[in-house]
Amino acid sequence: MSHLSLPLSREAARRRRIRDDPTGYTAQPWLDRIWANRDSSYPWLVTSADPRAPGEGQRSRWPVRAAYAYLALPAALFLGGWLKWWWLVMALLALGVGFWRMWAQAPKLWVPSPGRRAAWVGAAVGAILAAGVVFSGIGGISYQHFDHNWRNAIFEMLVAEPWPVVIPSPAGEIALTYYFAYWLPAALVGKAFGMAWGWAALLAWTWLGLALFACLALCLVKRLAVWPVAVFAVFGGMDLVQKAILGTLGDFTSERSFEWVDSTSLYAYTAFGDQLGSVFNQAIPAWILTALIFAQRDSRSVVALCAVAAIQCPLPALGAAVIALAWLITLPRPGPQGAPARAWARLRATALEALTPQNLILAGLCLPVFGSFFAANLNQAALTAQIPQTWADWARLAVFWVFEFGLMFALVGARCRATPVWWAALAIMLVLPLMRFGLANDLAMRAVIPAQVALYLMVCWTLAAAKHPLRSLQAAALVAVLALGTGSVLHKAVLRGEADLRAVKMVVDGQGWRAARDSLTRRLPVSWREDPTAQEGVWRQYFGDPDSFFYRTLSRAAKPSPSPPHQYPG
């Protein structure tokens, strides 16, 4: 009988992991509870340090290193485009030293071995991601969410204007102060070769980000398959069920975002597909950041990761910091006589381990610079409580809690609820609806993204652990919940189908591709483009005060635009 088919007791499995990996960093802690039941049907369940690891895979640092570079490039471009030269020299030197340390200490992940199957799966995943990029609306190739009004305007400003971007308005000069770093690599291409090449570069940059996240997800799930990507595409709350219970199903063709289940509350978490179509500039860096956190086996680079990503997604970076702390506590560490260390001992070891050059240098550089930049923003909204006042409000919130994420947490809890990550993600998703920050409660919808990614990974781990997913009651229930959570995907498919068919008809009728693309591309009204301050209450979240500390002390002198924004080429 093969040694793979011999079941291991919990104690024998723990001793072997400690023997093969004394640091305890490479163990998958939530598999401890089912370790005693593993058999030859689940060879992928072994830890990456175990000699019995699956033969069809190998270990590599390159997925993690590529993701590091993807997050670091926009930060470097922001520093190079905005800081004064003497600050710039110091900042780039610090960024280089910190990035070099992260690069050298990047953890290894399971990756599939090259072969025909890997090529076919890679091609299928790449095609799915390409379709997602095209139908996200980026570049005006397909239907665009109304948030693209400002997304398009910001990208065109970054291409057409000198950096830092300052434009005149009746209220005086205002500086573009927003989380726009995601656009900077594509905007640089647009500056060099023209706006059309800039849009093409933005499409390529978005596809690359999705490909890196998909690669990290497959490596973390340890499955060479398409289904984890398919699960990600439809992952979201059961908005259809919530609307049916509250009686707000209404018109399925309305452009109002589907996650807003009614018009009387701000309880909403955005599905991954909608994030790609509306807030891709924050979502994609947040997805990659969270996946990188789960790839870490120690805290030597976690603080640096969150600090570097903060320029692209500051609110998600806050949620990612909580998930990172929970994950690092989750990682088992041996205590006296080889016994697992207690939680406080793991927390203390994590804190001491985080005192590394890359964490200290990059946190010391990024947090003050990026923090002072965002502090210049004119939208100084206060964080307020959003506590339900009536029993009807509490009932509405309870419906949101249960059907948005509660059922998924319950279904994955059998395997994962003993871990701090499960509890941290659940706490984040329970608490955020009770707080409000921003016009549309941006804090809740953006800071929750890392918790959503953590829940997604736990769902994939649960499905992957089922020998026959459709025969397992737990896995079948998860599949049913995922199917009921496709409301946002179906809603956007209806809107996208109507708009795209109209554009195709324009091309068939001889009106040309340019006219069809213009019909799909969102544009701010002319009055708002000539005077951004005309859109009272909205413009402040995109612009800052040129007389603030950042622009007076750290930033290069800004040259106001000689032409109004409405003259930007499309």
Side-chain angles (χ1 to χ4, degrees):
M1 181 180 296
S2 170
H3 69 277
L4 283 176
S5 63
L6 293 175
L8 291 174
S9 68
R10 186 192 304 270
E11 180 63 19
R14 182 186 64 79
R15 289 172 181 257
R16 176 168 290 187
R17 288 200 305 278
I18 293 174
R19 183 199 68 192
D20 294 330
D21 180 26
T23 64
Y25 296 148
T26 59
Q28 294 286 355
W30 34 59
L31 301 179
D32 289 348
R33 301 186 60 198
I34 57 172
W35 195 274
N37 299 322
R38 82 172 274 287
D39 57 27
S40 58
S41 301
Y42 311 116
W44 66 274
L45 287 178
V46 299
T47 65
S48 55
D50 198 299
R52 299 165 302 156
E56 67 274 12
Q58 53 191 352
R59 300 179 68 200
S60 174
R61 290 189 173 93
W62 286 106
V64 174
R65 286 176 168 174
Y68 283 173
Y70 190 88
L71 292 181
L73 179 58
L77 291 178
F78 172 80
L79 296 174
W82 267 255
L83 296 188
K84 294 177 180 177
W85 71 266
W86 53 88
W87 293 117
L88 173 62
V89 171
M90 292 187 289
L92 291 182
L93 180 62
L95 183 64
V97 172
F99 182 77
W100 172 73
R101 293 281 298 183
M102 291 172 62
W103 182 277
Q105 297 175 1
K108 290 183 177 181
L109 286 181
W110 176 91
V111 295
S113 299
R116 179 177 298 180
R117 184 167 182 267
W120 278 108
V121 171
V125 170
I128 293 173
L129 299 181
V133 172
V134 169
F135 290 115
S136 69
I138 298 172
I141 300 177
S142 181
Y143 164 83
Q144 291 189 332
H145 186 270
F146 54 76
D147 279 348
H148 281 263
N149 284 320
W150 281 101
R151 305 283 178 265
N152 295 337
I154 289 172
F155 181 67
E156 291 170 355
M157 287 182 195
L158 291 171
V159 172
E161 303 293 343
W163 297 346
V165 177
V166 175
I167 62 174
S169 76
E173 294 180 357
I174 51 178
L176 185 63
T177 307
Y178 188 63
Y179 6 91
F180 52 68
Y182 176 84
W183 284 288
L184 292 181
L188 192 63
V189 174
K191 281 182 175 294
F193 303 103
M195 188 70 74
W197 281 100
W199 285 115
L202 183 59
L203 289 169
W205 184 249
T206 302
W207 182 90
L208 178 60
L210 290 177
L212 285 174
F213 174 76
C215 179
L216 289 171
L218 295 180
C219 292
L220 291 171
V221 178
K222 292 186 180 179
R223 281 294 172 115
L224 179 60
V226 177
W227 67 262
V229 178
V231 170
F232 184 82
V234 301
F235 193 88
M238 291 186 285
D239 301 325
L240 274 172
V241 178
Q242 296 177 62
K243 285 177 174 286
I245 293 174
L246 299 175
T248 58
L249 201 53
D251 183 10
F252 204 69
T253 62
S254 170
E255 281 202 312
R256 179 179 172 83
S257 294
F258 201 73
E259 66 265 23
W260 299 105
V261 296
D262 63 15
S263 59
T264 61
S265 68
L266 290 176
Y267 306 141
Y269 290 153
T270 310
F272 290 142
D274 281 357
Q275 291 174 20
L276 179 60
S278 58
V279 290
F280 56 90
N281 59 303
Q282 299 179 67
I284 294 176
W287 299 341
I288 294 175
L289 170 62
T290 311
L292 284 174
I293 286 172
F294 282 97
Q296 303 302 309
R297 295 297 176 260
D298 52 63
S299 58
R300 290 180 295 176
S301 299
V302 169
V303 178
L305 268 176
C306 293
V308 170
I311 189 60
Q312 300 185 69
C313 51
L315 295 179
L318 295 176
V322 177
I323 296 295
L325 180 60
W327 170 247
L328 294 172
I329 297 175
T330 298
L331 292 175
R333 299 171 185 270
Q337 288 81 45
R342 295 186 178 274
W344 282 111
R346 293 201 297 267
L347 182 61
R348 180 176 179 273
T350 296
L352 293 175
E353 195 175 53
L355 299 176
T356 58
Q358 60 264 40
N359 282 341
L360 297 176
I361 291 173
L362 292 181
L365 162 69
C366 296
L367 296 182
V369 174
F370 299 163
S372 62
F373 172 73
F374 290 122
N377 188 272
L378 294 171
N379 184 32
Q380 299 298 328
L383 178 64
T384 58
Q386 189 175 247
I387 307 298
Q389 301 298 317
T390 66
W391 286 111
D393 292 338
W394 277 109
R396 189 179 294 111
L397 178 59
V399 169
F400 174 77
W401 276 343
V402 171
F403 294 102
E404 186 69 23
F405 56 87
L407 288 178
M408 279 195 192
F409 272 101
L411 290 171
V412 302
R415 297 183 183 276
C416 306
R417 68 169 175 262
T419 65
V421 170
W422 188 89
W423 289 102
L426 178 61
I428 289 172
M429 300 186 85
L430 285 172
V431 171
L432 283 178
L434 303 177
M435 298 184 290
R436 178 172 180 177
F437 177 83
L439 294 175
N441 204 3
D442 295 343
L443 175 65
M445 292 191 295
R446 306 299 169 248
V448 79
I449 292 176
Q452 288 177 304
V453 175
L455 178 57
Y456 157 74
L457 289 173
M458 287 187 279
V459 167
C460 287
W461 280 319
T462 302
L463 292 175
K467 187 173 183 179
H468 299 289
L470 297 181
R471 298 180 187 176
S472 165
L473 180 60
Q474 181 189 32
L478 269 177
V479 172
V481 169
L482 289 170
L484 290 173
T486 58
S488 288
V489 176
L490 296 175
H491 175 247
K492 287 299 186 294
V494 171
L495 297 179
R496 187 170 290 111
E498 292 181 346
D500 293 354
L501 286 175
R502 285 195 300 268
V504 170
K505 187 175 184 300
M506 292 176 66
V507 175
V508 173
D509 291 343
Q511 299 183 44
W513 158 251
R514 181 62 183 235
R517 180 177 178 271
D518 288 343
S519 72
L520 295 170
T521 303
R522 297 275 186 170
R523 295 289 181 188
L524 290 173
V526 174
S527 60
W528 292 356
R529 282 181 274 158
E530 293 176 342
D531 177 15
T533 63
Q535 194 181 16
E536 185 60 37
V538 175
W539 69 275
R540 289 179 178 273
Q541 66 180 334
Y542 299 105
F543 294 98
D545 182 6
D547 292 328
S548 64
F549 170 80
F550 175 82
Y551 286 101
R552 284 187 292 103
T553 306
L554 302 178
S555 176
R556 295 204 308 263
K559 299 178 181 179
S561 167
S563 60
H566 70 275
Q567 295 184 7
Y568 296 155

